Amino acid sequence: MCNFAANFRYDMRFFITLSYDGTRFHGWQVQPNGISVQGELQRGLSLLLRQDIQVTGAGRTDAGVHARMMVAHFDYGGEGLAVPDCRQLAYKLNKLLPQDIAIEKIEPVADDKHARFSALARTYYYYLHTVKSPFLRHYSCELHYPLDFTKMNEAAAMLLSYEDFGAFCKSHADVKTTLCKVTKAEWRSTGEGQWVFEITANRFLRNMVRAVVGTLIEVGRGRLSLDDFRRVVEGKRRTEAGESMPAHALFLVDIKY
C-alpha cells in the first residue's frame, strides 16, 4: 500500500489496474468526438491530483471492446508534493468514474516501468453462442450455422508457427511492424452451445483478434480448408482473410509483466 510519506519526490510513476465495459465507449484512446476510457481516467485523475495527468494504457482496445483487466500508468510529481495515498486515490477515483469503469488498484512502480512496453504478454477472449439467449447477447456473438471446432482448433494451432500477421491487421493501420509472437490460440466449450476463443501474444495488431476469429469461422463453416487458412496467413493480405467479427464479444482479460 502507498501511504502519505514525509519524503518528497519529483517524478512518481503509478500503475492503475482497472476493468471496463466498453459498450458505450469509442475505444480506449482519447477521441476528438467521442467518449473514451482513457479520457475518463485522465479527467478524474487530473481533478483529484490537481495536475494535468496523462494516462498511458497497455493497449488500445477498439470501440465496443471490453477489458476484464487493463493496466495503465501515469506520472505525477512536482516540488513539495507528497506521495499520495494510493488506496484513497483509487477509492475517490471510483467515486468519480462512471459505473462502467472500475479501478482495482493504484500502486507506485519504478520510473522505467511502462504499461505498454514493459508488458510481456496479453490475452484476449472472444465469446460466441449458437443458441439464442437473452442473457448472452450483449457480450457474446450469436451464430446459427454449424461450426467444426475441431478444424477451427487445428487452424488456430497454426498461428503459433508464424510471426507476421499482416493478414489480420486493419487496412492502412499506422503500425511499424506486423510481427507478433502468438503463444496460445484455442477454442473451448464453456457450456451448451457456448464457446470462447482464447489467444495470447506478446502484442496485437489493430483489429487482429476479431479478424483471426472471423477467418477461423470460415474454416469452421467449411469455406476455407486448413491449406487455405495457411495461405491466408502466409499471403499477409487483409483482403484474403475473413471478416472482422463484432466488437461486443471481445474481452482483454490478462496482461503479464
Side-chain angles (χ1 to χ4, degrees):
M1 185 181 70
C2 175
N3 295 311
F4 277 106
N7 62 308
F8 299 94
R9 295 177 55 195
Y10 282 94
D11 296 314
M12 295 174 277
R13 177 158 291 185
F14 298 87
F15 263 29
I16 312 172
T17 303
L18 67 148
S19 58
Y20 53 86
D21 180 327
T23 302
R24 72 183 185 96
F25 294 106
H26 290 243
W28 161 266
Q29 191 174 13
V30 170
Q31 303 291 328
N33 299 307
I35 186 171
S36 70
V37 181
Q38 183 186 36
E40 291 294 294
L41 284 177
Q42 290 180 170
R43 239 186 319 273
L45 285 167
S46 296
L47 180 64
L48 291 171
L49 296 174
R50 300 182 181 183
Q51 199 175 101
D52 181 23
I53 300 296
Q54 300 297 309
V55 175
T56 300
R60 298 174 181 177
T61 54
D62 293 332
V65 176
H66 318 289
R68 289 204 178 101
M69 177 190 182
M70 170 61 91
V71 178
H73 79 252
F74 68 92
D75 295 328
Y76 167 73
E79 187 174 359
L81 292 176
V83 178
D85 185 318
C86 295
R87 182 172 292 179
Q88 278 298 309
L89 181 59
Y91 173 79
K92 292 177 181 178
L93 187 57
N94 268 324
K95 287 289 187 181
L96 275 178
L97 291 171
Q99 290 297 311
D100 40 15
I101 304 177
I103 305 300
E104 179 185 333
K105 62 182 177 180
I106 298 175
E107 56 190 339
V109 295
D111 296 341
D112 62 351
K113 193 169 183 181
H114 195 283
R116 180 182 175 189
F117 299 124
S118 298
L120 302 176
R122 299 157 173 86
T123 298
Y124 281 88
Y125 285 179
Y126 193 91
Y127 294 91
L128 66 82
H129 57 287
T130 57
V131 178
K132 184 178 180 180
S133 169
F135 306 110
L136 296 175
R137 70 190 191 280
H138 293 306
Y139 303 105
S140 177
C141 179
E142 186 174 317
L143 300 176
H144 290 287
Y145 33 75
L147 292 169
D148 186 337
F149 284 94
T150 299
K151 278 283 191 295
M152 290 161 68
N153 266 331
E154 289 180 49
M158 294 180 187
L159 298 173
L160 278 63
S161 302
Y162 291 93
E163 292 187 348
D164 194 326
F165 293 95
F168 307 115
C169 183
K170 187 170 183 177
S171 299
H172 309 299
D174 183 20
V175 292
K176 294 181 180 178
T177 176
T178 52
L179 299 180
C180 308
K181 180 60 178 175
V182 175
T183 53
K184 186 173 185 178
E186 66 176 19
W187 290 93
R188 65 175 184 273
S189 173
T190 58
E192 185 64 32
Q194 299 176 42
W195 296 82
V196 62
F197 177 63
E198 178 179 351
I199 184 167
T200 300
N202 64 329
R203 64 187 291 264
F204 286 92
L205 308 171
R206 188 176 179 188
N207 244 11
M208 177 174 163
V209 180
R210 289 191 284 152
V212 167
V213 172
T215 311
L216 291 173
I217 285 173
E218 291 295 285
V219 173
R221 296 184 71 180
R223 294 182 170 185
L224 287 178
S225 68
L226 294 177
D227 286 339
D228 291 334
F229 182 81
R230 188 181 297 279
R231 280 192 286 270
V232 167
V233 179
E234 293 177 354
K236 305 174 189 176
R237 292 188 297 273
R238 180 66 187 92
T239 54
E240 300 299 318
E243 68 175 309
S244 179
M245 299 300 288
H248 73 277
L250 181 60
F251 288 74
L252 173 61
V253 298
D254 193 28
I255 304 168
K256 298 293 187 189
Y257 289 91

